[in-house]
């Protein structure tokens, strides 16, 4: 990729990081080709400014921006995109420049740049914008949310974009479905998961192309826990190799296990450890160790009777919790009113 696209800066940084051994002659050759191409692009810009109209001038500047993006010159590309934006009037074309900036941000995992660009895009849409670009932005924002561990918002944005997906510059549709299923599993309740994911025709058409993904989703929904763990172990390598999910690998593993253990325990007031271990296809000792961690972390509402080898669920009473919260907030409000009355009396 570096050599084919003349990405001299990336090639040099990989060499400095010890990832590969750099060839000085090859690096000089790439730099020479870049300089020659930039000279040609500058000539086209000068010719357009002298002999052609405003749209041709903008196109010439855009071509230079895209070239800097292609060769991996981040700062120069961002600077040139700003110059191009100054020559741009139409909101749609300005949005396209923001998408180019977002692509740079995702390539370099520059989350500050991505966040600012998403905010800028939303402001541009207030001035007007077509639905196609709005739907594309949802995918960009969903990817940003997923990469920053906001899986719930990512799932919502991805699900909104399933039938309108056109963002092939980021990833193919089957990768998009992969992300949608993974984020939805830990974000949606069973009813929503069934309606929006399990039975979604767009997902059903593609899910079979991603190894283990169909078994992962359907075995979870159908409570086939042995099959679920087998499919999940098959997906772990794919999650580890994904540049956006890899930093959250351990967190995601915990969240998925929380979902599946909670789903199993929801059906019981009490259940033997042996029955649960059998359902998941693991040993009693493994279940004991696993559940102990999740209970201690407050992720599961149950307790282990080690002597009897039984798990007893103690699901929180939602109505009682709401009552306690209301009392607490009421006390806080009364205290504030009393403090305010003292100030007024003075």
């Amino acid at each position: 990729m570096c050599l084919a696209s003349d990405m001299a800066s990336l090639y040099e940084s990989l060499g400095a990081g010890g990832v590969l051994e750099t060839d000085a002659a090859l690096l000089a050759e790439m730099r020479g080709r870049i300089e020659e191409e930039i000279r040609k692009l500058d000539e086209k810009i000068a010719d357009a400014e002298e002999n052609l109209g405003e749209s041709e001038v903008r196109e010439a500047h855009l071509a230079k921006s895209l070239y800097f993006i292609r060769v991996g010159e981040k700062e120069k590309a961002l600077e040139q995109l700003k110059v191009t934006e100054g020559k741009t009037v139409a909101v749609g074309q300005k949005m396209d420049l923001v998408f180019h900036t977002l692509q740079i941000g995702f390539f370099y995992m520059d989350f500050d740049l991505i966040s600012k660009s998403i905010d800028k895009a939303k402001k541009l849409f207030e001035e007007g914008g077509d639905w196609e670009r709005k739907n594309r932005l949802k995918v960009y924002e969903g990817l940003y949310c997923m990469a920053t561990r906001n899986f719930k918002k990512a799932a919502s944005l991805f699900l909104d974009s399933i039938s309108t997906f056109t963002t092939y510059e980021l990833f193919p549709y089957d990768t998009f479905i992969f992300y949608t299923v993974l984020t939805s599993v830990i974000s949606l309740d069973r009813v929503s998961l069934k309606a929006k994911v399990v039975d979604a025709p767009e997902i059903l058409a593609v899910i079979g192309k991603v190894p283990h993904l169909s078994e992962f989703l359907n075995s979870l929904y159908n409570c086939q826990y042995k099959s679920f763990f087998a499919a999940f172990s098959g997906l772990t390598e794919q999650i580890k190799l994904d540049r956006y999910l890899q930093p959250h690998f351990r967190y995601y593993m915990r969240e998925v296990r929380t979902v599946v253990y909670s789903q199993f325990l929801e059906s019981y007031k009490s259940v033997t450890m042996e029955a649960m271990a059998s359902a998941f296809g693991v040993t009693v000792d493994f279940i004991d160790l696993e559940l102990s961690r999740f209970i201690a972390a407050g992720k599961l509402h149950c307790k282990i009777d080690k002597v009897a080898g039984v798990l007893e669920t103690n699901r929180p009473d939602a109505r009682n919790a709401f009552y306690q919260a209301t009392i607490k907030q009421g006390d806080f409000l009364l205290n504030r009113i009393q403090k305010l009355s003292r100030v007024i009396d003075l």
Side-chain angles (χ1 to χ4, degrees):
M1 179 182 168
C2 290
L3 304 181
S5 300
D6 285 335
M7 300 179 81
S9 295
L10 181 60
Y11 180 69
E12 195 171 18
S13 65
L14 289 172
V19 177
L20 51 80
E21 192 175 331
T22 52
D23 182 330
L26 184 60
L27 183 60
E29 191 180 316
M30 282 194 282
R31 294 244 182 246
R33 284 198 294 268
I34 290 169
E35 286 172 12
E36 176 63 21
E37 187 62 31
I38 290 170
R39 186 186 62 77
K40 289 178 183 177
L41 289 166
D42 284 337
E43 285 176 1
K44 286 179 181 177
I45 290 170
D47 178 58
E49 288 175 340
E50 194 174 327
N51 304 310
L52 302 170
E54 290 180 2
S55 62
E56 287 81 6
V57 171
R58 179 194 174 277
E59 289 302 315
H61 278 288
L62 178 60
K64 189 176 180 182
S65 303
L66 296 178
Y67 181 71
F68 279 136
I69 293 171
R70 186 167 73 81
V71 297
E73 295 285 353
K74 180 186 176 185
E75 298 307 323
K76 289 179 181 178
L78 292 173
E79 188 180 328
Q80 187 60 37
L81 282 168
K82 284 180 183 176
V83 174
T84 309
E85 187 182 0
K87 310 284 183 184
T88 305
V89 177
V91 173
Q93 290 179 333
K94 285 184 179 180
M95 272 301 311
D96 291 337
L97 296 177
V98 174
F99 285 133
H100 288 310
T101 307
L102 283 166
Q103 288 162 31
I104 294 169
F106 280 117
F107 184 82
Y108 290 98
M109 300 294 269
D110 185 341
F111 294 122
D112 184 52
L113 176 63
I114 295 167
S115 178
K116 287 176 181 175
S117 298
I118 288 171
D119 289 341
K120 184 177 180 180
K122 287 178 178 178
K123 285 176 184 174
L124 283 171
F125 278 131
E126 289 173 9
E127 299 174 24
D130 59 87
W131 282 105
E132 191 268 335
R133 287 185 176 93
K134 284 185 179 179
N135 289 325
R136 283 175 66 199
L137 182 62
K138 283 183 182 178
V139 179
Y140 278 90
E141 189 178 1
L143 182 59
Y144 167 69
C145 290
M146 187 183 78
T148 53
R149 204 179 280 186
N150 188 349
F151 291 117
K152 189 166 188 177
K153 189 173 181 182
S156 175
L157 289 163
F158 285 155
L159 288 166
D160 283 348
S161 309
I162 281 181
S163 58
T164 56
F165 179 83
T166 56
T167 323
Y168 294 100
E169 67 273 16
L170 283 180
F171 36 66
Y173 191 61
D174 54 347
T175 302
F176 171 68
I177 294 300
F178 173 67
Y179 291 153
T180 303
V181 171
L182 290 188
T183 53
S184 297
V185 159
I186 62 170
S187 305
L188 303 180
D189 56 59
R190 272 179 65 81
V191 175
S192 301
L193 190 70
K194 172 74 170 169
K196 296 180 180 180
V197 183
V198 176
D199 290 341
E202 296 89 353
I203 291 176
L204 289 170
V206 177
I207 196 168
K209 295 180 182 178
V210 183
H212 309 292
L213 191 61
S214 178
E215 297 90 335
F216 172 75
L217 175 63
N218 290 302
S219 58
L220 172 65
Y221 183 76
N222 294 323
C223 305
Q224 298 166 342
Y225 299 113
K226 276 186 188 177
S227 303
F228 172 80
F229 263 40
F232 188 37
S233 64
L235 277 178
T236 52
E237 198 61 33
Q238 202 168 339
I239 297 169
K240 274 184 187 176
L241 293 173
D242 188 276
R243 70 193 307 259
Y244 304 111
L245 289 170
Q246 189 274 331
H248 315 295
F249 175 72
R250 291 173 67 85
Y251 173 83
Y252 187 80
M253 292 281 285
R254 284 196 303 272
E255 289 301 300
V256 168
R257 278 144 58 207
T258 301
V259 168
V260 73
Y261 293 148
S262 297
Q263 180 175 291
F264 176 85
L265 292 169
E266 208 170 289
S267 306
Y268 300 94
K269 178 75 176 169
S270 65
V271 62
T272 64
M273 300 274 281
E274 192 174 339
M276 187 170 181
S278 175
F280 283 90
V282 294
T283 64
V284 172
D285 288 339
F286 176 82
I287 283 291
D288 183 22
L289 184 62
E290 276 276 272
L291 296 187
S292 299
R293 290 172 182 162
F294 286 103
I295 293 167
K299 295 280 189 181
L300 292 178
H301 302 287
C302 64
K303 59 183 180 181
I304 300 172
D305 184 341
K306 186 76 172 174
V307 177
V310 171
L311 279 165
E312 294 179 8
T313 60
N314 52 353
R315 287 186 286 278
D317 184 341
R319 183 177 293 180
N320 189 45
F322 179 69
Y323 173 75
Q324 294 294 338
T326 305
I327 295 293
K328 189 175 181 181
Q329 288 167 4
D331 287 342
F332 178 72
L333 180 61
L334 285 171
N335 288 334
R336 293 291 296 271
I337 291 169
Q338 286 171 358
K339 286 178 183 177
L340 184 61
S341 67
R342 289 193 205 109
V343 173
I344 293 169
D345 289 342
L346 291 171

